[in-house]
Amino acid sequence: FGIEDGTECCTRRLLEEDGWSGVWIEGSAEHVAHARERFAGLPVRIDHAFIDAENIESLFARNGVPAEPDLLVIDIDGNDFWVWQAIRSYRPRAVVLEYNGAWGPGVDQVMPYNPAHRWDFSKHYGASLAALARLGAEKGYALVGCDTHGINAYFVRRDLLGPHFPTADAGPGYHYVRPKALFFERWRRLLD
């Protein structure tokens, strides 16, 4: 969830090329309309809802999300930590969350919960990688890596790690990737 119009959604390839099915949830009616039109032929249900910690599990139930989905992607540019914390009845096998790389790998920082939060394109949003790793550990997940852009963190449920993730206990300092300046420059240009 937090797909915008779906064109830059990190699960798009799974739907288009790998035969996955799923649910996308987006808070913008305009983005939902564009996504429904553009991806009408894919096996994805696109729901219009503004997500917060209070409604996430009812949105999952409304959309028929299984108790153990293969993948959960949280990208809502703010309350990501609080929404993941509120998910208790669902145990995805893997979770992808956007982290705020402006807070270095040793900083355990989370923005205060605000159900009406909308990202203002500043560096003041979300949670640090250390905070997400802490929450992941509390929920039974291990941080297994970050993308090369310094945006997304990847978690796998501990009971599924097996021998595939030898650095799962290395900690946020090991996995942290500093955000690439190009990404932030793109958002800065949008504001000008």
Side-chain angles (χ1 to χ4, degrees):
F1 43 90
I3 65 154
E4 293 187 348
D5 68 0
T7 56
E8 294 183 24
C9 184
C10 67
T11 59
R12 180 179 168 187
R13 181 178 179 269
L14 297 172
L15 296 164
E16 290 180 330
E17 299 176 24
D18 296 335
W20 285 46
S21 62
V23 175
W24 285 350
I25 306 172
E26 168 59 42
S28 162
E30 181 180 347
H31 286 318
V32 167
H34 286 128
R36 285 179 177 159
E37 181 180 327
R38 182 175 186 135
F39 301 104
L42 294 179
V44 63
R45 179 180 178 152
I46 304 170
D47 191 8
H48 175 228
F50 190 82
I51 295 167
D52 58 40
E54 291 76 31
N55 71 3
I56 188 58
E57 289 206 333
S58 65
L59 290 171
F60 281 7
R62 173 171 96 187
N63 285 287
V65 173
E68 291 191 15
D70 291 318
L71 179 63
L72 170 65
V73 180
I74 303 174
D75 182 0
I76 53 175
D77 302 325
N79 290 314
D80 306 56
F81 177 97
W82 303 110
V83 169
W84 190 26
Q85 183 180 56
I87 298 171
R88 294 187 173 92
S89 301
Y90 297 85
R91 301 268 303 142
R93 290 172 176 81
V95 179
V96 179
L97 289 116
E98 188 171 86
Y99 69 96
N100 184 338
W103 291 312
V107 177
D108 188 326
Q109 182 72 38
V110 182
M111 66 170 258
Y113 179 64
N114 173 2
H117 173 78
R118 299 257 199 290
W119 185 38
D120 62 3
F121 298 96
S122 74
K123 290 191 240 180
H124 306 290
Y125 70 94
S128 67
L129 185 61
L132 292 173
R134 173 178 48 81
L135 177 59
E138 291 169 10
K139 294 177 77 62
Y141 290 81
L143 173 64
V144 297
C146 294
D147 70 14
T148 60
H149 298 291
I151 298 169
N152 292 310
Y154 303 96
F155 294 83
V156 172
R157 223 172 56 200
R158 282 208 167 270
D159 62 312
L160 301 173
L161 286 174
H164 307 291
F165 301 97
T167 61
D169 292 317
Y174 178 84
H175 293 291
Y176 175 81
V177 174
R178 182 186 169 121
K180 303 298 185 256
L182 190 62
F183 170 76
F184 286 108
E185 184 59 33
R186 175 180 165 222
W187 290 112
R188 240 181 262 127
R189 276 184 271 137
L190 288 174
L191 295 176
D192 292 340

